[in-house]
Amino acid sequence: MEIKWTPWRGQFVKGETPKDSRCVLCIKHEESNDAENHVLYRGQFSYVLMNLYPYNPGHLMIVPYAHTNDFANLPAATAAEIMHLTQRSATILSTVMNPHGYNLGMNLGRPAGAGIDEHLHMHIVPRWNGDTNFMPLIGGVKLIPEAMDDTYAALVGHFQAL
């Protein structure tokens, strides 16, 4: 049997919350160490960062700076920038990672699957033919074949060019 070691997921799998009770997406926005926080790009109203618990390599989130879960009342300029950054992210991911498709979306509210339900965010998940196999279906385990720092290094230069 081959064992995959993913210690960074332990806190998430155990359902433990960080000691800092503030919104993690607000904290990522407020901090300045973008490389450490896997922040790839900062726009006027929103920013792009890598998902700390990715479904696949290159799983990104586009997050408004404003702490809100009210999609219906999101300012038009913020909504437009989120969509624009989603488009640009797809272009960059296509260039760097060559996925066969994407999942895009927001999970609004805990019943809809939102892990961070108080701060809305757009997910963009690159997908490849065959990236789902018996591990997640039967074993409830997803294998991520690339380290986050390697993915960050491959993407960050393309986002700096925006």
Side-chain angles (χ1 to χ4, degrees):
M1 172 193 294
E2 186 174 357
I3 296 173
K4 301 295 182 186
W5 180 248
T6 57
W8 61 90
R9 292 187 55 86
Q11 187 177 35
F12 176 73
V13 171
K14 293 175 188 172
E16 297 173 355
T17 56
K19 290 179 183 169
D20 192 333
S21 62
R22 295 179 299 152
C23 171
V24 67
L25 296 177
C26 289
I27 293 170
K28 298 291 185 189
H29 155 59
E30 294 165 0
E31 292 180 351
S32 61
N33 190 343
D34 287 351
E36 183 179 311
N37 289 309
H38 298 103
V39 172
L40 293 163
Y41 180 80
R42 292 181 181 275
Q44 184 176 358
F45 305 108
S46 56
Y47 66 105
V48 180
L49 81 157
M50 296 174 63
N51 191 316
L52 188 57
Y53 307 109
Y55 295 129
N56 271 339
H59 180 172
L60 306 179
M61 298 186 309
I62 298 85
V63 183
Y65 294 131
H67 179 84
T68 184
N69 61 3
D70 188 359
F71 179 72
N73 290 307
L74 196 63
T78 302
E81 184 175 78
I82 288 170
M83 290 309 297
H84 175 72
L85 290 176
T86 302
Q87 290 174 313
R88 298 299 304 141
S89 295
T91 299
I92 290 168
L93 289 167
S94 290
T95 299
V96 174
M97 304 185 85
N98 197 30
H100 300 129
Y102 295 97
N103 290 118
L104 303 175
M106 292 184 185
N107 301 321
L108 300 173
R110 185 82 48 195
I116 303 171
D117 61 348
E118 70 275 4
H119 197 142
L120 68 81
H121 50 283
M122 173 71 79
H123 290 267
I124 178 166
V125 181
R127 300 304 302 263
W128 290 268
N129 292 328
D131 69 13
T132 300
N133 57 33
F134 74 95
M135 291 296 286
L137 296 175
I138 295 173
V141 173
K142 173 69 177 176
L143 303 177
I144 305 297
E146 183 173 75
M148 285 189 62
D149 289 340
D150 293 344
T151 305
Y152 182 87
L155 295 174
V156 69
H158 294 272
F159 277 93
Q160 289 172 347
L162 289 182

